[in-house]
Amino acid sequence: MVAPPDNDVLWARALHVTHNGSPALTGVSLGVREGEILAVTGPRGSGKTTLLRCLSGQLLPEQGEVWFNSTPVHTMGPVVRERLRRDRFGWIDPEPHLVPELTAWENVALPLMLRDATHRVSKTTAQEWLDRLDIGDCARKRPHALLQAQRQRIAIARALVTMPSVIFADEPTAPLHRADRAHVLRTLTTAARSHGITVVLATHDAEVAALADRTVTLLDGRRVNTVHLPGVGDLGEAGGDADGAVAGAGSDASDPGSDSAADGDSDDAEGRAACSLSV
């Protein structure tokens, strides 16, 4: 094993995963810097969710390495990985999985209560996050009485309430209308930046990816090079994507095994032919 760079909070090298015999990830390598908002882009079925599950310790790769703060996640036992996810990571699904019997503040406070925080501290902290997400007046309502966008903001508050090191957001705005989608994503990214939380965001939506500091593009389970097409450079600049600045920048200099990742991509005819917008 090779030690990860000191400035990478997450580091993955040459990940290989198959689902029912079909490749889901093939030689994917990347690094995520502390406090960075990284968008993992690509069409549906490209391996985005699988990558997030590997990085968060939910899924062990069949081959490859995953590190968090210089600690190997891929060698941890299930109990240790579960503790890591509970204490250091937050997760946001495409659909807000809230406990229907609990009020909004109770849903948000649940991770704190599971960590033995007092009722008063849990309620106060939950209310603070609901207020920051502009849904403080929903604190005593149950999920069935709330709009979809409100429920999703509650799920985001629940992910933020423990102040995790990393939040993994898997298509967090997919079911929302355009206006709600923009508001929810700006809320998440603003909260993350103000508290120094790293965010790994999976999306196939270019407007969502534009809110990230950098993008990584997947196609058929491989990390592919990204280029700017003529006339769309401004879009790339809005996303702050160093990877998409030139062809061949799919392997970031700070990424682990960039030579390995480049070799994997060069062997892939689809990867060479793919042209994705980094926004």
Side-chain angles (χ1 to χ4, degrees):
M1 292 189 294
V2 180
D6 291 337
N7 61 340
D8 282 351
V9 65
L10 285 169
W11 191 79
R13 179 182 176 88
L15 300 181
H16 290 261
V17 177
T18 59
H19 291 323
N20 298 321
S22 299
L25 293 178
T26 304
V28 174
S29 299
L30 82 161
V32 187
R33 293 181 285 273
E34 186 173 2
E36 181 178 33
I37 298 177
L38 176 71
V40 180
T41 66
R44 296 186 186 279
S46 59
K48 301 186 298 295
T49 298
T50 301
L51 178 58
L52 263 63
R53 292 185 65 208
C54 285
L55 293 175
S56 64
Q58 296 183 45
L59 176 68
L60 289 179
E62 294 156 25
Q63 298 179 42
E65 305 172 17
V66 176
W67 297 70
F68 168 70
N69 281 343
S70 302
T71 302
V73 177
H74 57 285
T75 61
M76 293 178 179
V79 174
V80 179
R81 280 188 288 116
E82 176 62 31
R83 188 180 306 122
L84 174 67
R85 293 196 299 271
R86 182 193 66 197
D87 295 343
R88 306 300 299 275
F89 296 159
W91 183 275
I92 304 170
D93 276 311
E95 295 284 344
H97 297 298
L98 305 179
V99 181
E101 296 83 7
L102 299 182
T103 64
W105 81 259
E106 289 169 337
N107 268 283
V108 174
L110 189 57
L112 294 174
M113 294 178 178
L114 293 175
R115 296 168 69 172
D116 297 326
T118 65
H119 181 275
R120 176 177 295 180
V121 168
S122 298
K123 184 174 183 178
T124 300
T125 307
Q127 185 66 56
E128 288 173 353
W129 277 109
L130 290 172
D131 290 338
R132 289 171 188 168
L133 296 175
D134 299 327
I135 49 171
D137 57 348
C138 298
R140 295 187 177 278
K141 295 181 180 180
R142 289 183 168 79
H144 69 84
L146 299 171
L147 299 175
Q148 178 81 341
Q150 293 171 324
R151 292 195 294 270
Q152 191 68 332
R153 271 180 273 177
I154 291 169
I156 291 172
R158 183 177 59 190
L160 288 163
V161 73
T162 60
M163 293 294 291
S165 299
V166 184
I167 287 180
F168 299 91
D170 184 17
E171 299 280 7
T173 59
L176 302 180
H177 295 297
R178 185 187 182 103
D180 289 334
R181 184 171 68 227
H183 181 73
V184 166
L185 253 296
R186 284 192 175 87
T187 298
L188 171 61
T189 54
T190 299
R193 292 187 197 284
S194 65
H195 291 80
I197 298 172
T198 303
V199 177
V200 183
L201 169 69
T203 183
H204 66 279
D205 188 322
E207 292 184 9
V208 172
L211 296 174
D213 299 317
R214 187 167 58 99
T215 66
V216 166
T217 304
L218 298 183
L219 180 67
D220 295 335
R222 292 181 181 271
R223 182 171 172 181
V224 299
N225 297 337
T226 56
V227 299
H228 290 317
L229 295 180
V232 298
D234 290 343
L235 289 176
E237 290 174 6
D241 178 20
D243 286 340
V246 292
S251 297
D252 191 288
S254 67
D255 285 345
S258 55
D259 292 340
S260 150
D263 291 343
D265 287 340
S266 65
D267 291 337
D268 178 19
E270 289 184 339
R272 293 197 304 268
C275 180
S276 305
L277 284 179
S278 296
V279 294

